[in-house]
Amino acid sequence: MVELPGYNAVKEALHAHLIDIGSATVPVEAYWSLAETLKLTAEQLALKRRDARGSAWENRVQWAKRKLVEEGIMDQGWHGVWCLRPNHAG
């Protein structure tokens, strides 16, 4: 059975990605960069959410973003722009 990386692994990879780039990112850039970092396969990227409405991978990354916002690491920011809070920018 094909599975995605665990939630915490994705959250940690997103945090590291934002520190590495040193600036804001847009979701589509984060999806692809994290997929490369975590070495996702085409099968993993093709997985759909349980409700079949959208990408399971994109949903997993969005979950990681939400958790980082809840933890005060990421700024809620503008729609479509993801960035670290100034005190977490590395």
Side-chain angles (χ1 to χ4, degrees):
M1 181 171 158
V2 177
E3 292 187 14
L4 292 173
Y7 288 101
N8 286 328
V10 176
K11 183 178 81 166
E12 290 170 10
L14 176 57
H15 188 192
H17 171 69
L18 290 167
I19 289 171
D20 287 346
I21 63 172
S23 63
T25 190
V26 294
V28 70
E29 178 185 306
Y31 302 146
W32 288 107
S33 178
L34 296 178
E36 288 179 3
T37 298
L38 296 169
K39 300 179 179 7
L40 266 60
T41 65
E43 282 183 301
Q44 288 172 304
L45 290 170
L47 291 172
K48 296 292 182 194
R49 290 177 22 179
R50 286 190 182 126
D51 62 10
R53 291 184 7 223
S55 163
W57 171 241
E58 291 177 9
N59 183 259
R60 180 76 45 107
V61 177
Q62 291 164 3
W63 175 93
K65 184 253 185 184
R66 185 180 50 128
K67 286 297 182 184
L68 290 171
V69 168
E70 288 174 2
E71 293 171 9
I73 295 170
M74 283 183 70
D75 196 350
Q76 183 65 39
W78 305 281
H79 179 74
V81 178
W82 295 1
C83 59
L84 293 174
R85 293 179 57 99
N87 57 331
H88 292 279

